[in-house]
């Protein structure tokens, strides 16, 4: 809610338009940010502040206006506190009002454009922008919004006076702020979001750290002196002034806005980058590409995602101010990245941290990228190896022959095969101006893509494109596997990515089509990531019958069979995954083709065992049943689901799995080399427990038909898979494929294996297929590709197996 106030510069004077008689949404000056935690415990800033923003195209005079504050729950005796304003708010500019100072904090506000002494609450209250300096008297939202003097209102926390719902999330360390677009929907809860406070004054200055007594004055520096010859700036923590350069890119959206600038007088050292990022938080910097600037600020090594995850740092300037000396200046020539410039080796290894090592850009790919951090770079025509995402990014390879897959990707074939040619491409162009192209693996990014090279925790080094090439489609299309023969049992695995009834029907329909058409209706489908009936809502619900029934119905509607299903409900909150979702494994099966052997006793905490019946045949004690659910290896993780099936008179044991995720592992581009794979410890423990059950089953019946499958969250070359296969206990089906076909998941441009099907040695007549329908495509029903095994189960007797095979071949020829 706000009244409209317009201003324009005419003849050197500000002219204020007359106020309308009734309230109307503001179209220019608004409350942009409110922070009341200054100087409190946990605060970095010493002062409270209020910030205005002008979304209009003309300056607006605020002489004689005020900002006013009211407690969140006013009493009849409560009074509005007033801070008068002077001057004007420039078009697209900011205006900072400093308020009360607390005892804590270290960062000082930039010089305010107006100063008050209001001690605002860090968690709840109301701020009003008022035309006039007389204190308001209203104490309710209805009364205040009806006052024609009120231009804008921001209620946060449990504020009684607010527009719509109050903004949430304010604290000693968090302000509430509008986006850069200054949207005003008359609902504070929608328009404001909590985040780190980012005060900015009319001159574009941010907060500063005054330091202790005797701190040296800021020194003049050039960008290559700031970047230095290692990954950490030799001036880290120091304030520098009048750093010269030309603006090469501006990030105008998101919570990490700012700009890159580059020195046009390089020092000639290939280790020192000539580019640098200036961080301005949620405030869009008022600069343009081609501006010649001199920047003053504090040098900081920022670790995207936090220093604890092991990633590298981004050298940047914070709390910066700048002057623009000229505009429309020529940009420095970008550095071309291609196979000719990229070293074969990825990174120096065998050291606790590579941060202190001098860069060797001619020897290591990661060193080359770091030596260009912040600098203009360019890639030419490149093959896409990671599909585009909704975040506006894709992956290309600069090394087209590096571990290429048959489908056009780049294969991750070992811990020492990191594929340094992978590079993420994002865009600095807002989607509203130019939608990010949709790209699949195997497509080609043609033309020239240019922009500063940056670093983030979602893939490492990335080219932030100011000029983006065009995507030319490749030949990749979703695959379809063949139908199984009458004598073949088809068993599939499919991670359906947090499926719940809250998902759109379209997702169920896509998954159903994949099972019916692309997988050719397998006899048994092991599903991973089936959520409970309420999805991610954490309400104690654990049943998933609605989820599974909805998928079964979609399969039937797509022309498939009416699958039956089996699963075991987990204990609430004990199986990990998305909080509240209670993901679990489940089986679908076509009862017209295969019989599910139901055996009672299975439960969330009951362990399945192995026994022999009165005829000496091996069977499970429960079907379905969970494998050792109380073992610590399964803490906060899915428990394997074992089941017994009968196909054409033969018993087949199937165990569906979803091992612990890779969360917490250090990335391939970590500053620690080799990176630590901390999550591997739990998966190896899980593999040992599962292997123990497999050995128990095999000991009871060495000729058992056993299929172990699912999302094992690990690679074919990992210790996890080695634990399962050592001694020939199980055979990994992926090893039967050509090397360049061994993938079913794409992560950061690496095509890799996380889902697996393994079989007991007795199963020798089979055909295995990874059906590529998701992972390589921008449009996905899941982020995993399904797999299918078509197998002739053994009778347990070599002579009978031979006769059966001869009979089947004769029948097929006839």
């Amino acid at each position: 809610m706000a009244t409209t106030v317009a201003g324009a510069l005419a003849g050197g004077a500000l002219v204020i338009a007359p106020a309308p008689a009734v309230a109307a949404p503001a179209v220019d000056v608004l409350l942009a940010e409110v922070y009341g935690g200054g100087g409190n415990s946990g605060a970095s800033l010493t002062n409270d502040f209020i910030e205005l923003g002008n979304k209009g195209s003309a300056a607006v005079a605020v002489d004689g206006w005020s900002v006013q504050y009211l407690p969140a729950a006013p009493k009849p005796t409560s009074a509005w506190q007033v801070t008068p304003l002077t001057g004007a708010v420039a078009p697209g500019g900011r205006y900072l009002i400093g308020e009360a100072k607390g005892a804590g904090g270290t960062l000082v506000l930039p010089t305010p454009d107006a100063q008050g002494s209001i001690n605002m609450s860090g968690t709840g209250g109301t701020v009003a922008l008022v035309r006039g300096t007389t204190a308001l008297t209203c104490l309710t939202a209805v009364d205040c919004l009806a006052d024609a003097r009120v231009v804008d209102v921001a209620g946060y926390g449990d504020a009684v006076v607010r527009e719509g719902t109050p903004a949430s999330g304010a604290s000693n360390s968090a302000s509430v702020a509008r986006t850069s677009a200054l949207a005003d929907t008359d609902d504070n809860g929608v328009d404001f979001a909590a985040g780190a406070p980012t005060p900015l004054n009319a001159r574009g200055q941010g907060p500063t750290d005054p330091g202790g007594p005797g701190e040296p004055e800021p020194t003049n520096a050039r960008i290559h002196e700031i970047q230095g010859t290692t990954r950490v700036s030799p001036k880290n923590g120091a304030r520098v002034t009048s750093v010269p350069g030309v603006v090469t890119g501006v990030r105008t959206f998101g919570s990490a806005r700012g700009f890159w600038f580059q020195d046009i007088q390089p020092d000639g050292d290939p280790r020192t980058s000539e580019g640098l990022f200036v961080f301005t938080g949620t405030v869009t910097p008022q600069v343009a590409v081609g501006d010649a600037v001199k920047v003053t600020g504090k040098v900081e090594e920022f670790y995207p995602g936090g220093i604890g995850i092991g990633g590298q740092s981004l050298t940047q300037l914070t709390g910066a101010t700048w002057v623009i000396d000229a505009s429309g200046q020529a940009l420095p020539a970008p550095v071309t990245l291609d196979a000719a410039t990229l070293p074969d080796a990825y990174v120096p290894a065998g050291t606790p941290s590579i941060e202190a090592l001098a860069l060797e850009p001619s020897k290591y790919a990661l060193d080359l990228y770091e030596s260009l951090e912040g600098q203009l770079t360019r890639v030419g025509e490149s093959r896409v190896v990671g599909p585009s995402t909704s975040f506006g990014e894709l992956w290309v390879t600069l090394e087209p022959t590096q571990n290429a897959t048959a489908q056009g990707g780049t294969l991750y074939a070992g811990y020492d095969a990191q594929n340094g040619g992978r590079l993420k491409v994002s865009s600095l162009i807002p989607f509203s101006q130019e939608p990010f192209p949709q790209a699949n693996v195997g497509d080609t990014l043609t033309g020239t893509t240019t922009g500063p090279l940056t670093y983030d925790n979602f893939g490492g080094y990335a080219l932030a494109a100011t000029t983006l090439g065009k995507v030319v489609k490749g030949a990749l299309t979703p695959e379809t596997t063949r139908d199984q023969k009458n004598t073949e049992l088809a068993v599939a695995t499919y991670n359906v990515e947090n499926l719940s009834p809250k998902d759109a029907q379209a997702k169920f329909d896509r998954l159903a089509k994949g099972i019916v058409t692309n997988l050719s209706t397998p006899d048994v489908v092991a599903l991973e990531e089936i959520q409970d009936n309420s999805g991610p809502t954490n309400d104690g619900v654990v049943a998933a019958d609605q989820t599974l029934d909805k998928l079964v119905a979609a399969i039937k509607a797509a022309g498939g069979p009416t699958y039956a299903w089996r699963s075991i409900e987990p204990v609430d909150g004990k199986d990990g995954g998305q909080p509240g979702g209670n993901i679990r494994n489940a089986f679908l099966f076509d009862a017209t083709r295969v019989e599910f052997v139901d055996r009672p006793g299975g439960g969330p905490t009951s362990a399945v065992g192995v026994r022999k019946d009165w005829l000496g045949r091996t069977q499970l004690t429960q079907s379905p049943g969970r494998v050792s659910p109380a073992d610590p290896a399964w803490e906060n993780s899915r428990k394997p689901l074992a089941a017994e099936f009968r196909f054409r008179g033969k018993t087949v044991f199937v165990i569906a799995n979803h091992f612990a995720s890779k969360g917490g592992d250090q990335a391939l581009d970590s500053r620690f080399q080799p990176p630590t794979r901390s999550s591997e410890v739990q998966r190896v423990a899980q593999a040992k427990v599962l292997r123990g059950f497999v050995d128990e089953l095999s000991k009871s019946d060495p000729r058992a038909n056993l299929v172990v499958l699912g999302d094992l969250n690990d690679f074919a070359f990992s210790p996890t898979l080695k634990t399962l296969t050592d001694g020939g206990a199980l055979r990994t089906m992926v090893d039967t494929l050509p090397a360049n076909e061994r993938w079913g998941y794409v992560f950061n441009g690496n095509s890799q294996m996380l889902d697996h099907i393994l079989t007991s040695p007795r199963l020798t007549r089979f055909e295995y297929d990874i059906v590529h329908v998701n992972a390589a495509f921008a449009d996905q029903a899941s982020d995993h590709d399904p797999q299918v095994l078509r197998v002739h189960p053994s009778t347990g007797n070599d002579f009978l197996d031979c006769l059966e095979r001869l009979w089947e071949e004769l029948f097929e020829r006839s």
Side-chain angles (χ1 to χ4, degrees), residues 442-501:
D443 291 351
T444 303
L445 184 63
T446 62
T448 299
T449 299
T450 304
L453 195 68
T454 188
Y455 181 87
D456 64 36
N457 57 311
F458 300 106
Y461 293 98
L463 192 157
T466 54
T467 302
L468 191 61
K470 303 298 181 184
V471 171
V472 174
K473 290 298 178 184
L476 187 65
T477 57
E479 296 178 350
T480 299
T481 196
R482 71 167 176 84
D483 196 2
Q484 64 270 28
K485 301 172 185 177
N486 285 337
T487 55
E488 292 176 315
L489 174 68
V491 183
T493 177
Y494 202 164
N495 182 319
V496 291
E497 195 179 8
N498 288 320
L499 185 66
S500 84

Side-chain angles (χ1 to χ4, degrees), residues 424-445:
K424 186 167 74 172
V425 175
S426 58
S427 178
L428 293 178
I429 307 169
F431 291 174
S432 59
Q433 296 179 19
E434 183 178 324
F436 195 79
Q438 188 175 79
N440 301 329
V441 168
D443 291 351
T444 303
L445 184 63

Side-chain angles (χ1 to χ4, degrees), residues 196-472:
T198 56
L200 198 71
N201 65 14
R203 285 169 285 181
Q205 296 171 319
T208 59
D209 186 350
E215 182 185 57
E217 291 293 321
T219 57
N220 291 336
R222 302 192 78 93
I223 291 175
H224 49 254
E225 294 172 332
I226 296 170
Q227 287 283 11
T229 59
T230 70
R231 285 173 163 79
V232 174
S233 170
K235 296 183 179 294
N236 186 27
R239 287 190 59 77
V240 291
T241 187
S242 301
V243 183
V246 175
V247 176
T248 58
V250 185
R251 183 185 286 138
T252 61
F253 51 85
S255 59
R257 300 178 199 182
F259 64 91
W260 290 265
F261 70 124
Q262 186 165 331
D263 199 329
I264 60 173
Q265 297 180 12
D267 65 350
D269 189 336
R271 300 171 299 176
T272 56
S273 173
E274 299 295 342
L276 189 62
F277 183 63
V278 178
F279 174 74
T280 60
T282 59
V283 176
T284 300
Q286 300 302 303
V287 295
V289 172
D291 284 349
V293 295
K294 288 188 177 71
V295 185
T296 296
K298 183 178 181 180
V299 180
E300 177 187 90
E301 291 294 336
F302 171 64
Y303 291 84
I307 194 170
I309 69 173
Q312 299 191 51
S313 62
L314 176 71
T315 305
Q316 61 183 19
L317 293 181
T318 62
T321 61
W322 56 87
V323 294
I324 300 175
D325 291 334
S327 297
Q329 302 301 295
L331 303 186
V335 174
T336 298
L337 290 172
D338 55 22
T341 60
L342 198 69
D344 292 332
Y346 187 66
V347 64
T351 178
S353 172
I354 61 176
E355 283 190 326
L357 300 180
L359 298 175
E360 298 183 81
S362 64
K363 188 174 181 180
Y364 300 110
L366 281 191
D367 282 17
L368 174 63
Y369 294 143
E370 175 63 25
S371 74
L372 298 173
E373 179 192 83
Q375 196 168 318
L376 267 185
T377 54
R378 172 175 59 199
V379 298
E381 184 170 299
S382 307
R383 193 176 74 248
V384 176
V385 294
S388 56
T389 72
S390 60
F391 299 103
E393 58 190 28
L394 56 81
W395 287 78
V396 298
T397 181
L398 310 176
E399 294 270 17
T401 62
Q402 189 176 58
N403 297 321
T405 69
Q407 293 76 18
T410 296
L411 186 70
Y412 184 49
Y415 294 126
D416 58 350
Q418 303 98 328
N419 298 314
R422 296 173 298 113
L423 183 67
K424 186 167 74 172
V425 175
S426 58
S427 178
L428 293 178
I429 307 169
F431 291 174
S432 59
Q433 296 179 19
E434 183 178 324
F436 195 79
Q438 188 175 79
N440 301 329
V441 168
D443 291 351
T444 303
L445 184 63
T446 62
T448 299
T449 299
T450 304
L453 195 68
T454 188
Y455 181 87
D456 64 36
N457 57 311
F458 300 106
Y461 293 98
L463 192 157
T466 54
T467 302
L468 191 61
K470 303 298 181 184
V471 171
V472 174

Side-chain angles (χ1 to χ4, degrees), residues 45-70:
L45 286 166
T46 58
N47 287 69
D48 298 346
F49 71 86
I50 300 164
E51 189 178 308
L52 310 181
N54 182 0
K55 62 189 292 186
S57 58
V60 176
V62 292
D63 280 307
W65 291 24
S66 63
V67 289
Q68 303 191 20
Y69 173 79
L70 185 71

